[in-house]
Amino acid sequence: MKYSVCKAEDLQIGQMKAFTVERKSIVVVRSQEGELYALRNVCPHKGPALSEGSLDGTCTANEPGEYNLEKVGEVIKCPWHNWEFDIKTGCSIFDPENVRVKTFDVIEEEGTVFVQV
Amino acid sequence: MSETVLSQESAAKKTQFKVIDTDIHHDIASVDDLVPYLSDHWKRYITEYNWKPIKTTPFHQVRSGTKYRGDSFGESKRPPGSDFELLKKQLLDEHEITYGVLGGWFHEATVATGWFEFAAARAAAYNDYTIEQWLNKDERLLGSITIPADPVAAVREIDRVGPHPQMVQVMMSIGNFAWGDPRFHPIFEAAERHGLAIGMHLSADITFQGGEFLRYYVAWRAAHPQAYMTQVISLITNGVFDKYPNLKVALIEGGFEWVPFMMNRMDAAYKGLRQETPWVKRMPSDYFRDNMRFSTQPWHDISAKHFLDIIDMMGSDKMLMFSTDYPHWDFDAPKRTLPPKISDDLKNKILYENARELYNL
């Protein structure tokens, strides 16, 4: 089912907002490129709403002392224990195979944002 | 937050436990909050000389406001823990806390290495702030007495605010010195005399054996239990529990899986080295069991089996007390922390009974 959640202009670049669809809390995010992504708005660890956390980037390195800033605006950090999730895949950064949040399809049509649930 | 509330409500339907949170950090928004509680002399240092506490640990490493829960700033954007109404709503009401022990976040006055006169004045002002702005507003809240490290001034402060019915412990913040030293014993004597427990919680000032700060927050945090080990070793070997056998010490936020290791290690050493500290009359592990309590946060996501093994190795199910560490980032929620498969009796002891007994509630 396709549910309209907000007007496209209500989600600017770098913003995320929580919506309740079919009793599920879903966080919809607009990336730096303007793309929309939707994830289940519950951290799989202890349960707080991811939308209360921060939309941020993350870092990688191959050597001590190195910092490569990556995925700017594409990582949600949980408000409690800072677990990081990729907004595009829902996968955690620390264990992408086993720890992830569910993602949903998002469509932007004629100025309205729809989530597929 | 609606989803969070729903999931917790559904979890609560199983068995409803009473909860004592043994580690809450209420705070001042700034040192200006202390001004109404300082004498005209000490006030000037804040209002005219712009005195500020020294900040030693570099926080803010992985996101804005790393040290705090991201949702604890509230709409007013006050420093987390400084807004009574938000703490009441977000912690006491939402998580149905029966009693909450405020430990504050004012260790700087305790670990200050000099100018104890001003440190004593700040500690006293912080205690008066805690009583007036927190304890008087909610009967669920219990207090910890902030003290300066100077024993004479510390005892004076314990005698001054210790009789308050909601004050339950003396906070001996952990810095870079060990509290078991005989010069601090009058503080234990005063606590015991007032029927108060001792709380020990790390300050931002701790460094580590062989490593100082260890460069990174993640490393500094991982090493915290080292500092707690130093304190318990110091208390036992200096005979604190032989002099004050009824004294109870709560070690807050220092972990607990290391406790059976240290009990065994100290017992083994005592057998051969006892002659060096002959005033220590019992096996060290006995003091752990009878005189010390350990808080559960930060919880390590261990299995029920491993958790029960640790309790078994401790030889007592009365040593652990639940804590949230609100509003800090590594908060543990009472309904989402202990392994679901442990017995209701053990859950009740950890969530409520062990702290109730410690604090005579």
Side-chain angles (χ1 to χ4, degrees):
Chain A
M1 263 301 267
K2 207 169 87 172
Y3 294 88
S4 103
V5 291
C6 67
K7 291 180 185 165
E9 68 202 43
D10 292 341
L11 263 174
Q12 298 293 318
I13 282 175
Q15 278 193 315
M16 59 177 169
K17 282 186 179 163
F19 303 98
T20 304
V21 178
E22 283 204 339
R23 301 181 65 200
K24 289 185 180 68
S25 182
I26 292 175
V27 58
V28 183
V29 185
R30 194 183 289 279
S31 73
Q32 296 296 311
E33 284 77 40
E35 301 292 326
L36 290 170
Y37 299 93
L39 300 92
R40 184 167 187 249
N41 192 25
V42 179
C43 183
H45 181 215
K46 299 284 178 181
L50 293 173
S51 58
E52 297 283 327
S54 48
L55 191 56
D56 200 352
T58 191
C59 288
T60 62
N62 298 309
E63 297 288 338
E66 185 185 331
Y67 290 95
N68 303 313
L69 179 59
E70 290 180 2
K71 297 182 192 279
V72 174
E74 295 174 9
V75 174
I76 293 186
K77 289 179 174 164
C78 175
W80 289 8
H81 304 97
N82 290 326
W83 285 21
E84 301 168 296
F85 299 95
D86 188 318
I87 59 169
K88 296 183 175 177
T89 62
C91 293
S92 66
I93 304 290
F94 76 88
D95 187 359
E97 295 292 312
N98 298 304
V99 179
R100 58 176 74 183
V101 292
K102 186 175 168 53
T103 56
F104 300 91
D105 289 335
V106 201
I107 309 147
E108 192 173 335
E109 268 175 7
E110 295 173 359
T112 303
V113 176
F114 296 90
V115 177
Q116 191 80 36
V117 178
Chain B
M1 289 298 290
S2 57
E3 184 82 10
T4 315
V5 174
L6 281 177
S7 63
Q8 280 159 356
E9 279 173 2
S10 56
K13 278 174 191 157
K14 296 172 205 165
T15 310
Q16 188 65 45
F17 294 97
K18 286 185 179 177
V19 176
I20 300 176
D21 179 355
T22 58
D23 187 19
I24 303 173
H25 297 290
H26 72 304
D27 207 350
I28 46 175
S30 79
V31 285
D32 292 341
D33 283 354
L34 300 182
V35 169
Y37 308 102
L38 289 167
S39 71
D40 288 344
H41 169 68
W42 293 118
K43 246 177 223 182
R44 292 178 304 145
Y45 287 90
I46 292 171
T47 58
E48 293 175 37
Y49 305 167
N50 200 29
W51 179 89
K52 296 257 189 309
I54 297 165
K55 291 200 171 174
T56 48
T57 308
F59 283 101
H60 304 287
Q61 286 80 1
V62 298
R63 62 163 165 79
S64 164
T66 294
K67 188 173 152 186
Y68 300 105
R69 256 175 59 165
D71 56 358
S72 66
F73 291 83
E75 283 166 18
S76 63
K77 300 291 174 198
R78 284 170 59 94
S82 69
D83 181 340
F84 167 75
E85 289 300 333
L86 183 62
L87 186 144
K88 176 180 177 296
K89 170 176 171 286
Q90 208 165 40
L91 178 68
L92 301 180
D93 296 344
E94 186 177 324
H95 294 282
E96 299 170 272
I97 305 292
T98 309
Y99 292 109
V101 184
L102 300 176
W105 187 248
F106 203 65
H107 305 299
E108 68 86 12
T110 310
V111 300
T113 46
W115 204 16
F116 295 116
E117 297 85 351
F118 187 30
R122 294 197 301 277
Y126 192 80
N127 291 329
D128 288 338
Y129 161 82
T130 298
I131 290 169
E132 199 169 307
Q133 301 299 326
W134 294 85
L135 302 184
N136 286 355
K137 289 182 179 172
D138 201 310
E139 289 180 345
R140 290 170 291 183
L141 294 176
L142 305 169
S144 308
I145 301 171
T146 294
I147 53 167
D150 172 61
V152 174
V155 169
R156 198 185 307 133
E157 186 59 14
I158 294 166
D159 286 338
R160 190 180 74 88
V161 292
H164 190 284
Q166 282 159 279
M167 283 294 187
V168 293
Q169 68 185 355
V170 175
M171 179 56 71
M172 297 176 111
S173 313
I174 301 178
N176 286 319
F177 57 92
W179 285 109
D181 189 288
R183 74 180 189 277
F184 296 122
H185 289 195
I187 301 175
F188 297 113
E189 191 277 328
E192 197 184 48
R193 180 158 42 80
H194 286 280
L196 297 164
I198 298 291
M200 288 196 175
H201 188 292
L202 68 119
S203 71
D205 265 11
I206 48 172
T207 58
F208 300 103
Q209 172 114 33
E212 292 198 342
F213 179 69
L214 301 175
R215 277 183 84 123
Y216 306 105
Y217 172 74
V218 64
W220 181 78
R221 181 179 182 278
H224 285 169
Q226 262 197 20
Y228 289 78
M229 290 181 198
T230 302
Q231 297 302 327
V232 302
I233 292 166
S234 171
L235 294 177
I236 291 173
T237 55
N238 283 288
V240 169
F241 301 118
D242 296 279
K243 268 172 97 169
Y244 312 105
N246 297 319
L247 194 72
K248 298 277 196 288
V249 179
L251 292 131
I252 304 160
E253 206 179 341
F256 60 85
E257 291 103 314
W258 59 268
V259 170
F261 160 82
M262 189 54 72
M263 292 166 85
N264 290 335
R265 185 174 175 85
M266 290 191 76
D267 279 0
Y270 181 82
K271 293 168 190 167
L273 302 175
R274 187 211 56 81
Q275 175 171 276
E276 191 187 9
T277 55
W279 48 85
V280 179
K281 304 293 184 197
R282 306 170 68 197
M283 291 297 274
S285 59
D286 290 334
Y287 304 108
F288 276 86
R289 273 186 288 269
D290 290 352
N291 301 96
M292 298 183 205
R293 301 291 178 261
F294 299 83
S295 70
T296 53
Q297 182 281 342
W299 186 259
H300 291 170
D301 298 333
I302 51 176
S303 69
K305 178 186 181 302
H306 287 169
F307 179 63
L308 293 172
D309 286 345
I310 291 162
I311 302 267
D312 185 40
M313 288 163 74
M314 286 175 165
S316 167
D317 59 6
K318 295 189 164 188
M319 294 166 73
L320 299 183
M321 309 187 296
F322 175 76
S323 57
T324 67
D325 198 30
Y326 180 90
H328 289 159
W329 69 273
D330 35 7
F331 173 87
D332 284 333
K335 287 169 187 142
R336 295 281 303 247
T337 299
L338 298 177
K341 288 181 181 169
I342 66 174
S343 70
D344 280 359
D345 176 58
L346 184 56
K347 281 181 192 162
N348 179 52
K349 282 186 172 121
I350 297 168
L351 288 168
Y352 184 73
E353 186 57 29
N354 292 345
R356 189 204 60 74
E357 195 178 321
L358 171 69
Y359 295 124
N360 298 312
L361 302 171

